[in-house]
Amino acid sequence: MDHYDTLETRPHAEREADLFARLPAQLAHAKAHAPAFAALLADIDPAAVTTREALARLPVTRKSELLERQKAARPFGGFAAVRWGQDCRRVFASPGPLYEPEGARPDYYRLARALFAAGFRAGDLVHNTFSYHFTPAGSMMETAAHALGCTVFPAGVGQTEQQVAAVADLKPDAYVGTPSFLRIILDKAADLGVAPSFTKAFVSGEAFPPSQRQALAERGIRAFQAYATADIGLIAYETPALEGMVVGEDVIVEIVRPGTGDPVAPGEVGEVVVTTFNPDYPLIRFGTGDLSAVLPGESPCGRTNLRIKGWLGRADQTTKVKGMFVHPSQVAEVVRRHPQVQRARLVVENPDLADRMTLHCECAAGDEALAGAIAASIRELTKLRGEVAFCAPGSLANDGKVIDDLRKYE
């Protein structure tokens, strides 16, 4: 079988209809059982949110806000709908600290689909080198492998010689972990005269350039990666087609302009915002802080869901100018006040070591009066002076940058 289930190959319209038919119940559940969403969605009628346009009008909750709310209301800031005991099997801590619950459902993080696309099958022995303490990565991969019928060796990180010894003794079919640690194990195995048994790998947690994929292929290992977070679980994953990442079946993904909740045009780089159907941790319009873009068309592998380009950087471009923080949301508000501006990028430079801000505005017909009005908005919103430069529509780079800090210090 080439696909994990029939959900992956259903028509796009059928998938959209199913997701947005289920969404009102998830919103109502979040309001009823997660106090933070009871407040955030107080004026929202869940029954009315049945389209992407309606969803886009709901507030975005970003990771930074989640952290602040957790500090004020431990452990989960009012965003979780579970309690200690039967509903919550484990709790993890990511840097921050940011706490995440793990519920009792099999394949809680929904990563089995991604492992299947990477060639993992029932009966495989999986050498899992993701951490088993504090952060959920080890459990994320283990629960997915178990859902497929795999056996897992919980290797964790470090102890390279012991890792190689286990590989030599147990002869695992598959590796799970970061690509850099896989390379370390392979190099150590070569030093010790051990021929690793890996034929497949599922890597995540760091960059995986084509050169690394090719190097592994030359050693007989087919490697794939996925985009997942501790909060959401699986967001998107690679398939044998290796053309972008296919979005998982149980989330709604939007790409929005950084600093806002406004969806960007198809193909434009923006922040990944995810709505999950997880009843235990019902995150609605969760801003991951990661940049990506939608790819046109469907994957040649037969999976019909939306595709994204993968991780393209971070959306949080907040910078400090003359002692004042300047946020992407402030730039977005300037653009919102002046509809003649289609897109804008704030460039920060320091010629002669003196900070200078220039807002580059895509505008069909900019004039001195408009420039003055925009400059006034910049000063009002940021409390700083900023120059205005007009440019042709479509001329700004499609890289998701709202603030470009080009300052150099010598």
Side-chain angles (χ1 to χ4, degrees):
M1 191 172 73
D2 293 329
H3 302 107
Y4 182 70
D5 57 25
T6 58
L7 297 179
E8 294 184 341
T9 57
R10 55 184 166 167
H12 177 73
E14 180 181 323
R15 177 182 295 105
E16 285 283 292
D18 174 53
L19 290 173
F20 284 93
R22 294 163 55 197
L23 182 58
Q26 177 70 344
L27 295 177
H29 172 76
K31 288 185 69 172
H33 299 284
F37 282 115
L40 287 169
L41 305 178
D43 299 326
I44 302 298
D45 176 11
V49 186
T50 57
T51 64
R52 285 187 177 269
E53 293 73 20
L55 177 62
R57 290 192 285 271
L58 303 188
V60 172
T61 299
R62 291 185 164 82
K63 186 165 289 196
S64 57
E65 181 183 352
L66 189 62
L67 178 60
E68 290 306 312
R69 285 178 176 264
Q70 282 201 5
K71 288 179 179 178
R74 292 297 190 193
F76 305 121
F79 287 94
V82 292
R83 60 188 182 277
W84 302 136
Q86 186 174 6
D87 296 333
C88 187
R89 289 284 179 87
R90 299 183 181 95
V91 58
F92 292 102
S94 296
L98 194 62
Y99 297 103
E100 300 101 5
E102 181 185 305
R105 295 187 317 282
D107 191 24
Y108 177 79
Y109 302 96
R110 298 167 291 99
L111 275 154
R113 183 180 304 282
L115 291 185
F116 187 92
F120 288 50
R121 296 293 185 272
D124 284 345
L125 174 60
V126 178
H127 190 92
N128 183 8
T129 68
F130 275 119
S131 174
Y132 274 80
H133 70 282
F134 272 80
T135 62
S139 183
M140 291 170 77
M141 301 303 171
E142 179 173 278
T143 52
H146 286 166
L148 289 179
C150 301
T151 299
V152 176
F153 177 70
V157 295
Q159 300 173 304
T160 311
E161 290 195 11
Q162 290 176 265
Q163 300 262 5
V164 173
V167 170
D169 291 340
L170 298 174
K171 296 180 171 50
D173 309 276
Y175 167 91
V176 168
T178 64
S180 61
F181 193 53
L182 175 55
R183 186 173 64 252
I184 289 170
I185 289 177
L186 294 176
D187 290 345
K188 178 59 72 173
D191 292 342
L192 298 174
V194 173
S197 52
F198 302 133
T199 60
K200 63 194 86 171
F202 186 81
V203 300
S204 192
E206 61 188 27
F208 185 48
S211 59
Q212 285 195 28
R213 191 194 304 272
Q214 180 59 32
L216 291 175
E218 291 170 358
R219 289 173 139 171
I221 302 171
R222 294 190 70 197
F224 296 83
Q225 60 183 328
Y227 171 33
T229 71
D231 326 90
I232 296 292
L234 178 67
I235 297 174
Y237 59 101
E238 284 187 331
T239 75
L242 293 179
E243 293 188 10
M245 289 188 173
V246 177
V247 170
E249 291 295 324
D250 294 306
V251 293
I252 299 173
V253 168
E254 305 168 89
I255 308 293
V256 309
R257 197 169 308 286
T260 78
D262 304 330
V264 301
E268 186 174 339
V269 175
E271 181 183 6
V272 178
V273 169
V274 184
T275 296
T276 174
F277 289 88
N278 181 349
D280 302 332
Y281 203 29
L283 296 176
I284 309 298
R285 297 205 85 200
F286 179 69
T288 63
D290 297 322
L291 294 174
S292 193
V294 171
L295 285 171
E298 296 178 356
S299 173
C301 70
R303 293 169 177 84
T304 56
N305 206 350
L306 188 76
R307 291 182 301 161
I308 61 176
K309 289 185 177 180
W311 188 82
L312 299 178
R314 291 292 295 170
D316 184 6
Q317 300 157 31
T318 297
T319 191
K320 184 179 281 188
V321 180
K322 296 181 180 179
M324 300 286 290
F325 281 108
V326 181
H327 304 274
S329 58
Q330 293 170 311
V331 178
E333 180 58 29
V334 172
V335 174
R336 192 174 289 115
R337 290 186 178 190
H338 303 280
Q340 304 96 319
V341 179
Q342 298 175 16
R343 284 201 306 156
R345 171 180 300 201
L346 185 70
V347 176
V348 184
E349 300 169 289
N350 63 339
D352 302 321
L353 298 181
D355 290 349
R356 182 177 71 191
M357 301 193 314
T358 304
L359 189 66
H360 294 256
C361 302
E362 288 187 359
C363 187
D367 56 25
E368 188 174 338
L370 178 59
I374 295 172
S377 293
I378 294 171
R379 186 169 181 80
E380 179 185 344
L381 291 165
T382 68
K383 312 305 179 188
L384 296 164
R385 291 184 183 275
E387 300 176 12
V388 176
F390 294 115
C391 55
S395 61
L396 293 177
N398 179 25
D399 55 10
K401 284 189 177 180
V402 175
I403 299 176
D404 195 4
D405 193 337
L406 301 179
R407 289 175 290 187
K408 297 179 180 179
Y409 302 94
E410 296 180 355

